[in-house]
């Protein structure tokens, strides 16, 4: 919300300076974001008198001006069409930097004629877009003095942040009310004397039953004989200062009242209307070409519209239609001042993606009691600035009643706010804010809430009002009690695990991503999510409408965007939340990764291969190891991965028969195709919340590193097994044959052929034996080998290949 200092003082009688007002605004909860004070920046630019303006000897569109600056005469070459002898203008001497262009002036020659300084336009001063000519000052402007105070463009602009519940402060008067309550001055009375109607309103107004909940009251009057020219300078300066582009006096008046009182208005060109006005809901197939020159398809039964006999002419409370908009030919208008339901306005605005000042105010609640005063104030301004005569006011519907009385105990200010405020001071604060205080007893008051503060719903809200106006700085600081002498670390084992996994996955060449925790419903369903209860009521965009079931879904969308930009070989990971339901246990912290395309770039040393399921397996096992798990103790179970994986090229990672730690594998072709991912894609999901807690040791000292002096022994075995036997079962059997000596087992060859027979394969494993006390003899090594063969045969039915 932006406003100028003089604008504020139209409503607040105060002698406080700018700095004091800024501090008070922030103190009452209206945080000051920026103050633009142009007085200092514009002070060097002064009023000058053009003694003569002669045609340039070598340029038809330039004039050579002799200028009296008040400190002497200078020669200026000027290209403005309105530069003439005898006028007063704004002079910028050499050495100054022009605010609107950033140009630093210096003496120069223009077409051979010396020029010192510059006669400037409004745009060059950064005051508006006007640049057709230089600024013309009044004839009595003091020579050599700063021009800004003369034109009234030195008014400081204050910008404050407004929280969504403070719709009353979206008007300058509401801001002034808070400052007055804080003791910074007194509120000036609001002039809203009714304007007598000279004739009956020729435009009838009615509200249909289906629209009454969205627009319970609508006031309108016709004003004829208006002249829609330019608004006066004082209004133009204020609107321009707060960032609005002046359009015409009629439109500028509605914008001004909206900013001044927080009361949106609209004017129709009466001669462009066909018949009377009806406030109703949109019908199926109706559309509106709005003032922003865009055509909107309206929602049947959802959007409240203002229509005449020809159709929809305005989207109520949001934006008017182009067909009935006022222009320079307008001589008769219908002034609209209505109240619209905030929820209906928000629903329509979001559905149609329309952002307007009117919507911004109505969805934050406009005071319903300002319908008639707003009509009279706007009418008075139109008659004063545009002329004409007004009809009687036609009111359809009734102002929605608001009568909220809250029982308030003054002692609650101390119990909730931690500060003692005198009850008399509390009553004064609430009264200045517009609350009606009835003190039934010293302990209990009945407080009636004003119509512009519908956000105040209970006793705690009244306590907050007292505290913020009294000053949060008055609340004494109270240190929190120390639980421990030495501060404990905030990181627990679960958080540490996530960090370990991140570091390890990054070391494996995967790039970390951080994505929104939301997806489209279609994308969520592909990954087993998308339940109705996980849809957002207020999504930040249509593409982020439902909580994601797994971060892997976000990574696939990243891969699709990368593929669209030609990045086919990718590797990404994310550690973040996924949701399967609305219960707290349904939110899981997952470590996920995705690889697409090839394993690396092409090189003369060898060609890369495409990624496969074993790359994903290596990633998830590495993540398990990084999290402190013994990867050798988990089981890989095929056929249990969810539906977004390829059914024949994926598996689950389990710890025992019941505990599933995660999944890995190649993604389903339909999922890859739906997200426009090019080439193969493999991924994994590790449920960090499912990992068992590590066993804590009494001694947290890291054990000493054990180095063996004895040489390890390697032996290779080739077993013939059925094709359906998992290599993991064979490795597990080898490890169990001699746990003290066997330190590593790995598969290094797989062979199948006619010599082995149908349905048979050969798996070759390398076994490392690490002697501890002494060198192993051949007999001992052979004994271990025999136990390995026996264990594998018993567990898998394999035979040693000859």
């Amino acid at each position: 919300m932006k406003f100028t200092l003089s604008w504020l003082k139209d409503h607040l009688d105060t002698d406080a300076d700018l700095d004091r007002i800024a501090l008070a605004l922030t103190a009452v909860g209206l945080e000051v974001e920026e103050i633009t004070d142009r007085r200092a920046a514009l002070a060097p630019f002064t009023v000058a008198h053009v003694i003569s303006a002669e045609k340039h000897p070598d340029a038809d569109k330039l004039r050579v001006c002799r200028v009296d600056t008040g400190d002497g005469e200078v020669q200026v070459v000027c290209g403005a069409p309105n530069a003439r002898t005898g006028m007063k203008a704004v002079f910028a001497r050499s050495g100054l930097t022009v605010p609107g262009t950033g140009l630093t002036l210096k003496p120069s020659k223009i077409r051979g004629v010396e020029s010192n300084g510059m006669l400037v336009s409004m745009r060059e001063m950064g005051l508006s877009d006007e640049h057709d000519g230089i600024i013309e000052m009044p004839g009595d402007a003091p020579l050599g003095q700063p021009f800004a105070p003369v034109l009234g463009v030195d008014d400081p602009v204050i910008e404050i942040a407004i929280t969504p519940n403070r719709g009353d402060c979206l008007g300058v008067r509401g801001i002034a009310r808070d400052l007055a309550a804080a003791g910074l001055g007194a509120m000036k009375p609001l002039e809203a004397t009714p304007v007598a109607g000279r004739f009956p309103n020729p435009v009838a107004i009615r509200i249909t039953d289906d629209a009454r909940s969205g627009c319970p009251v609508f006031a309108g009057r016709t004003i004829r004989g208006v002249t829609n020219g330019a608004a006066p300078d004082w209004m133009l300066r204020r609107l321009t200062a707060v960032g609005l582009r002046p359009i015409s006096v009629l439109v500028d008046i509605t914008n001004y009242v909206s900013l001044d009182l927080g009361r949106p208005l609209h004017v129709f060109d009466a001669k462009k209307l066909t018949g009377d006005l009806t406030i109703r809901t949109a019908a199926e197939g109706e559309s509106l070409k709005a003032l922003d020159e865009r055509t909107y398809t309206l929602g049947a039964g959802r959007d409240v519209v203002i229509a005449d006999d020809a159709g929809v002419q305005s989207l109520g409370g949001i934006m008017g239609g182009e067909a009935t908009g006022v222009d320079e030919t307008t001589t008769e208008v219908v002034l609209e001042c209505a109240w619209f339901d905030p929820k209906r306005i928000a629903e329509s605005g979001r559905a149609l993606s329309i952002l307007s000042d009117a919507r911004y105010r109505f969805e934050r609640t406009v005071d319903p009691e300002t319908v008639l005063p707003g009509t009279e104030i706007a009418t008075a301004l139109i008659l004063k600035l545009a002329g004409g005569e007004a009809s009687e006011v036609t009111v359809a519907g009734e102002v929605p009643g608001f009568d909220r009385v809250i029982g308030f105990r003054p002692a609650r200010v101390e119990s909730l706010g931690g500060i003692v405020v005198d009850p008399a001071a509390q009553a004064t604060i609430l009264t200045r804010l517009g609350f009606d205080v009835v003190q039934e007893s010293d302990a209990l008051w009945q407080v009636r809430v004003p119509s512009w503060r519908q956000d105040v719903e209970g006793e705690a809200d009244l306590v907050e009002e007292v505290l913020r106006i009294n000053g949060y700085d008055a609340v004494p600081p109270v240190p929190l009690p120390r639980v421990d002498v030495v501060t404990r670390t905030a990181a627990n084992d679960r958080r540490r695990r996530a960090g370990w996994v991140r570091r390890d996955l990054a070391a494996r060449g995967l790039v970390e991503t951080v994505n929104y925790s939301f997806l489209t419903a279609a994308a969520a369903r592909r990954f087993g999510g998308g339940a109705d209860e996980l849809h957002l009521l207020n999504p930040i965009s249509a593409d982020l409408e439902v909580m994601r079931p797994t971060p892997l879904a976000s990574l696939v969308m990243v891969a699709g965007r990368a593929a669209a930009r030609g990045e086919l070989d990718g590797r990404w990971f994310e550690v973040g939340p996924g949701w399967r339901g609305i219960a707290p246990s349904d939110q899981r912290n997952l470590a996920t990764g995705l690889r697409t395309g090839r394993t690396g770039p092409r090189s003369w040393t060898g060609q890369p291969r495409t990624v496969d399921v074993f790359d994903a397996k290596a990633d998830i096992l590495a993540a398990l190891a990084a999290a402190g798990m013994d990867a050798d103790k988990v089981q890989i179970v095929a056929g249990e991965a969810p539906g977004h994986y390829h059914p024949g090229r994926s598996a689950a990672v389990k710890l025992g028969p019941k505990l599933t730690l995660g999944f890995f594998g190649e993604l389903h072709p339909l999922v890859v195709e739906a997200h426009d991912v090019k080439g193969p894609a493999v991924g994994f999901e590790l449920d960090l919340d499912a990992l068992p807690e590590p066993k804590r040791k009494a001694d947290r000292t890291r054990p000493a590193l054990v180095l063996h002096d004895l040489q390890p022994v390697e032996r290779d075995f080739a077993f013939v097994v059925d094709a359906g036997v998992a290599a993991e079962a064979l490795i597990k059997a080898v490890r169990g044959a001699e746990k003290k000596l066997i330190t590593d087992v790995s598969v290094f060859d797989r062979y199948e052929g006619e010599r082995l027979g149908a349905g048979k394969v050969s798996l070759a494993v390398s076994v490392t034996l690490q002697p501890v006390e002494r060198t192993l003899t051949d007999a001992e090594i052979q004994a271990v080998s025999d136990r390995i063969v026996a264990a594998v045969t018993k567990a898998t039915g394999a035979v040693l290949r000859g």
Side-chain angles (χ1 to χ4, degrees), residues 375-400:
T375 303
E376 303 296 352
I377 290 170
T379 301
L381 278 173
I382 292 174
L383 297 182
K384 179 180 179 180
L385 303 180
E389 59 177 358
S391 74
E392 297 172 350
V393 179
T394 301
V395 179
E398 296 181 354
V399 175

Side-chain angles (χ1 to χ4, degrees), residues 7 227-261 263-267 291 326-327 333 335 357 377-379 381-382 385-386:
W7 199 342
T227 301
N228 193 23
D233 290 343
W234 65 268
M235 182 177 287
L236 296 179
R237 286 195 296 269
R238 286 184 176 179
L239 294 178
T240 302
V242 300
L244 289 183
R245 179 176 62 89
I247 298 174
S248 66
V249 64
L250 293 173
V251 176
D252 293 345
I253 286 172
T254 62
N255 289 334
Y256 183 82
V257 173
S258 179
L259 290 167
D260 190 51
L261 304 177
R263 158 40 65 188
L265 304 163
H266 183 64
V267 284
L291 290 172
V326 298
D327 55 32
V333 297
L335 173 65
D357 287 343
I377 290 170
T379 301
L381 278 173
I382 292 174
L385 303 180

Side-chain angles (χ1 to χ4, degrees), residues 17-322:
D17 59 15
L18 181 62
D19 291 339
R20 187 179 170 197
I21 288 174
L23 290 173
L25 285 168
T26 299
V28 299
L30 304 176
E31 182 181 358
V32 175
E33 294 192 320
E34 184 179 13
I35 295 178
T36 305
D37 190 354
R38 295 181 294 197
R39 287 176 294 190
L42 297 180
F45 301 91
T46 58
V47 179
H49 178 237
V50 180
I51 300 173
S52 66
E54 306 293 339
K55 181 180 175 298
H56 192 288
D58 196 26
D60 292 337
K61 294 185 177 181
L62 297 180
R63 287 178 173 81
V64 181
C65 302
R66 281 197 310 121
V67 178
D68 182 3
T69 66
D71 293 329
E73 293 185 11
V74 296
Q75 180 172 282
V76 178
V77 177
C78 180
N82 64 331
R84 64 186 185 276
T85 299
M87 72 177 295
K88 285 190 175 180
V90 178
F91 175 69
R93 68 177 183 273
S94 295
L96 292 178
T97 299
V98 180
T101 63
L103 175 67
T104 300
L105 302 178
K106 58 183 179 181
S108 61
K109 283 189 175 183
I110 301 176
R111 293 287 184 93
V113 177
E114 290 187 359
S115 180
N116 292 280
M118 184 178 184
L119 299 176
V120 295
S121 67
M122 293 292 283
R123 187 171 73 172
E124 287 159 341
M125 286 292 92
L127 299 176
S128 74
D129 292 332
E130 177 62 44
H131 64 286
D132 292 336
I134 58 177
I135 300 172
E136 295 194 37
M137 298 296 294
D140 59 351
L143 191 65
Q145 296 301 307
F147 85 98
V150 179
L151 290 186
V153 294
D154 61 339
D155 202 3
V157 179
I158 305 169
E159 182 175 5
I160 61 175
I162 303 293
T163 53
N165 65 312
R166 294 303 307 275
D168 61 305
C169 286
L170 291 174
V172 179
R173 187 165 183 83
I175 298 168
R177 184 186 297 112
D178 269 17
L179 292 176
L184 218 64
M187 287 289 289
K188 295 181 179 179
L190 181 65
E191 181 59 43
T193 303
V195 176
R198 298 292 184 88
F199 56 93
N201 189 1
V203 179
I205 301 170
R206 73 182 187 92
I207 304 173
T208 61
D209 292 339
D210 61 343
R212 200 167 295 278
S213 62
C215 178
V217 62
F218 187 106
R221 79 187 320 166
T222 299
I223 306 173
R224 63 192 182 192
V226 300
T227 301
N228 193 23
D233 290 343
W234 65 268
M235 182 177 287
L236 296 179
R237 286 195 296 269
R238 286 184 176 179
L239 294 178
T240 302
V242 300
L244 289 183
R245 179 176 62 89
I247 298 174
S248 66
V249 64
L250 293 173
V251 176
D252 293 345
I253 286 172
T254 62
N255 289 334
Y256 183 82
V257 173
S258 179
L259 290 167
D260 190 51
L261 304 177
R263 158 40 65 188
L265 304 163
H266 183 64
V267 284
F268 299 91
D269 189 321
K271 294 184 178 180
K272 296 178 182 178
L273 291 172
T274 304
D276 298 327
L277 293 180
T278 300
I279 297 87
R280 58 176 174 82
T281 57
E284 189 69 35
E286 284 190 311
S287 63
L288 170 70
K289 187 174 184 180
L291 290 172
D292 61 359
E293 299 181 352
R294 295 176 58 189
T295 299
Y296 297 94
T297 300
L298 305 177
R302 179 194 66 204
D303 301 330
V304 176
V305 300
I306 303 166
D308 62 6
D309 294 345
V312 177
Q313 302 300 343
S314 177
L315 183 58
I318 297 179
M319 188 173 291
E322 183 181 69

Side-chain angles (χ1 to χ4, degrees), residues 625-671:
M629 290 286 297
D630 187 351
D632 294 331
K633 293 183 178 179
V634 300
Q635 295 83 46
I636 308 298
V637 182
E640 293 192 10
H644 51 272
Y645 288 101
H646 191 295
R649 301 173 188 171
S650 60
V653 179
K654 309 188 76 170
L655 188 63
K658 295 183 178 180
L659 181 58
T660 301
L661 303 180
F663 310 97
F664 69 90
E666 185 176 325
L667 295 188
H668 199 287
L670 294 179
V671 172

Side-chain angles (χ1 to χ4, degrees), residues 6 41 104 201 309 341 347 406 427 460 474 491 538 546 589 629 642 670 679 764:
S6 66
T104 300
N201 189 1
D309 294 345
D341 179 67
E347 182 182 4
I406 299 173
N538 184 21
V546 63
N589 191 32
M629 290 286 297
L670 294 179

